[in-house]
Amino acid sequence: MSTSVRKKLCALAPLFCATSILFRSPMPATAAITEVVNMLESKPKKVRANSFFGVHFDLHASAADKVLGSEATAENIGSFLDAVAPDFVQYDCKGHPGYTSYPTKVGSASPGIVRDALRLWSEETRKRGVGLYIHYSGVMDAAAIQNHPEWARVDEKGNPDAEVTSLFSDYAKDLMIPQLKEVTGEYSLDGVWVDGDCWGAKLDYGTTAVETWKAQTGYADVPRNPNDPHWQEWKQFHRKAFDHYLANWVDELHKFNPQLQLCSNWAYTPHMPVPITANVDFLSGDFSAKESVDRARFEARYLDSSGMPWDLMAWGFNSYGSGAPHQMKHPEQLKQEAAVVMALGGGMQVYYQPTRSGYIPDAVTTTVKQVADFCRQRQQISHKSKSVPQVALLLSTASYLHRSNSVYSPHGQYTALEGALHALLELGYSVDLLSEHQLEPRLQDYPVVVIAQAAVLEEGFREKVRQYVRGGGTLVLLDRESLEPFKADLGVEFQGKPASAPAYITALDLFATVPGEWQNFSQVSAEVIMRRTALHASALTADAVTEPAATSTTLGSGNIFAAYGPVTQAHFNSHNPVIRTWIGNIMEKAFPQPKARLLGNPNVDMSLRKSADGRETVHLVNLSGAQRAERFAVIDQIPGSGKVSLAWTLSTRPESIRLLPQGTSLDFSCEPNTDGTYSVQLEVENVPIHGIVVPEFHSVE
């Protein structure tokens, strides 16, 4: 747009101002003018729900910065955008130190701003129709606390937190919301990705929090540790406070600009596995840089069950302190991480830190372009695909909230559950991960429900599961912890309390140890299907006594299978094929005829999906060589998977089957079943990183 046209629009300021007053628009006149100018200059943008690939940049600006934006140029930014062609960019605004990297009039701007890089990103993304969001730290803001000590969260010993604000303070009202209105309006942003939010919130012993607690509950004091009375209520008190804080800032920003697309990092994910109550527009999270593939396998399956638009963010680098600071990841490593996300239907983004001066190095551009190209090849058939229900694995919200002593931080809370997920995937099943509120209305969709690490269930949900089994469903309780809610239905009589005992299980002509607490029991009506021994192979004798370790029993028209020890935790700790096979022996009895199952290769994850255009597909993700140790920070080669075999039941005989995006034609056999379906058997010689098996049928005129 020419300067003269801009001047003419600016001359219309009084008209915009009058219009703003007349229609009671929350947008100031100057912002309205900017919006009109931007509309005239802009290319159409995808809304976040339809976006697939993006890039995230954050700096966490501080008081010590001196060169912010000094090397940010339209040429550098434009070159990056043209090469990568992302659907959206999330750029730096305010990190956990609390200083903005743009010249704010609200709060604390970093003294190191040399050039307004956000302005350049706003202009260059608008020209290309690329969505622009900001990274903004929510609950965590050290500068706000320095300026307003009364906003600090206080720990149980009375010490003010230097970084985490109180959910009961005026921080959101007086700083966060006004600042987000300022920046989204001034820079014509498409949305906000708020970091340091649910996972940053902490239990608060400040005066306002304590007084609010006493007024709401009538209790004379607050609990200080898990052994004190009312501890569970104290945690829920803070969770409700966070829920209110989140809904409030989201609603206030939507009132200011209904077009803004808003997300709170890790809200309504396994970090915060509760029903969605805030009016967020999409879900997102940045999975661990160090355990990236396994974190993505877990988080993506939960997000896939959310019913919301979602994406996950891979870190483009690893950083392990002074020993191995900032190791940039290889494109092959990032492709493998992206494959996990795409195989579950999600969008993908990659996170980098530009230089403090705002320059995007060529190495970043080159790497992200390779990853973007890899993802784009799979977008049409991957994005927004839906699961075909097979195995439902419960992530129990009730149990998580009961055992976690934080507000919404899951670290270390899901290890046994992840052990169950890993075993089921290694055994070749397609697995969905759902909480109670997601699973209950869909119970009848799943042939089998697996529960692990769930000692506490709400009575209403427990009864729904029992009704599901009585009606012909199959329930598998894969660890001792999950037996308690169903102990009356197992067909056994518990003998004493769970107790630690030496325990070994056998499979593959090998032994594996499963340490921890086991529940002894005597049979009533159940059948013992697996056993354990207290002796290692080196001490085992021919007449050694074994103990029952797993059972099956009927309930109504359905079946319950149960393991009586910590087998999923043991699998998480060791990933021992003996434990996996032992679990597999139970699953084959519980679920003998899955619609699809991958056989013969525990390094390949299989997901049975239906693409957005209605095609039933099987996604294969090769996890060979995945990073699972800090001493292997950068993976530059993903070994081939080797041969995998797929058994698949289809409703129609396929004319051909291909592996996409390679386009390879696959040999297969196909036999009719008595129910009118077809049993397909095929082999894939190699899955390089990610392949999608797609049947093709005769067209009907």
Side-chain angles (χ1 to χ4, degrees), residues 102-106 177-187:
Y102 78 97
T104 181
K105 297 180 178 65
V106 182
I177 293 171
Q179 195 167 61
L180 285 173
K181 289 180 179 179
E182 173 195 53
V183 68
T184 56
E186 178 66 24
Y187 294 86

Side-chain angles (χ1 to χ4, degrees), residues 33-97:
I33 294 170
T34 302
E35 193 68 22
V36 171
V37 172
N38 290 341
M39 288 173 60
L40 293 171
E41 289 187 336
S42 297
K43 288 186 177 180
K45 297 182 178 183
K46 291 182 179 179
V47 297
R48 191 59 174 250
N50 294 329
S51 296
F52 173 67
F53 188 85
V55 188
H56 176 101
F57 295 106
D58 72 52
L59 288 164
H60 291 271
S62 72
D65 276 303
K66 298 179 180 179
V67 295
L68 294 178
S70 62
E71 293 186 298
T73 65
E75 292 75 19
N76 178 243
I77 295 168
S79 176
F80 173 85
L81 293 173
D82 291 340
V84 175
D87 296 320
F88 63 91
V89 170
Q90 292 176 177
Y91 198 71
D92 186 73
C93 177
K94 186 194 79 169
H96 306 329

Side-chain angles (χ1 to χ4, degrees), residues 458-521:
E458 297 290 343
E459 177 57 29
F461 177 76
R462 185 186 74 90
E463 187 52 38
K464 289 288 186 181
V465 174
R466 296 177 76 242
Q467 291 175 11
Y468 157 81
V469 177
R470 287 195 193 99
T474 298
L475 174 64
V476 181
L477 306 172
L478 263 187
D479 64 354
R480 190 273 310 161
E481 187 176 348
S482 303
L483 302 177
E484 189 64 29
F486 301 97
K487 61 186 300 184
D489 304 310
L490 300 178
V492 303
E493 184 176 322
F494 285 12
Q495 296 178 341
K497 295 182 178 180
S500 294
Y504 297 90
I505 59 177
T506 60
L508 305 173
D509 295 324
L510 297 169
F511 276 68
T513 181
V514 183
E517 291 187 342
W518 285 79
Q519 176 65 60
N520 289 323
F521 63 92

Side-chain angles (χ1 to χ4, degrees), residues 8-25:
K8 289 178 182 178
L9 282 169
C10 291
L12 296 174
L15 176 60
F16 280 107
C17 185
T19 304
S20 177
I21 294 171
L22 179 62
F23 292 101
R24 297 182 180 179
S25 169

Side-chain angles (χ1 to χ4, degrees), residues 287-297 314-315 329 333 337 340 627:
F287 54 77
S288 168
K290 304 175 184 180
E291 302 166 347
S292 50
V293 164
D294 283 340
R295 294 266 48 77
R297 295 165 85 194
W315 285 43
K329 290 182 179 178
Q333 186 172 2
E337 297 176 18
V340 176
Q627 184 202 6

Side-chain angles (χ1 to χ4, degrees), residues 95 143 165 204 276 380 411 423 425 427 457 462 487 584 641 647-648 654:
T165 60
D204 185 8
I276 299 171
Q380 184 176 5
H411 301 296
L425 293 175
L427 289 164
L457 295 178
R462 185 186 74 90
K487 61 186 300 184
S641 67
W648 191 1

Side-chain angles (χ1 to χ4, degrees), residues 162-232:
E163 187 176 48
V164 177
T165 60
S166 170
L167 297 170
F168 303 90
S169 72
D170 291 330
Y171 160 72
K173 177 175 70 72
D174 292 346
L175 174 60
M176 180 182 175
I177 293 171
Q179 195 167 61
L180 285 173
K181 289 180 179 179
E182 173 195 53
V183 68
T184 56
E186 178 66 24
Y187 294 86
S188 300
L189 300 177
D190 297 286
V192 181
W193 192 89
V194 173
D195 197 7
D197 226 22
C198 71
W199 60 268
K202 295 182 180 179
L203 302 179
D204 185 8
Y205 292 84
T207 301
T208 304
V210 171
E211 289 178 352
T212 303
W213 159 264
K214 290 179 179 179
Q216 288 184 6
T217 65
Y219 298 143
D221 205 352
V222 295
R224 301 278 168 176
N225 62 69
N227 296 319
D228 287 348
H230 312 302
W231 180 251
Q232 295 297 330

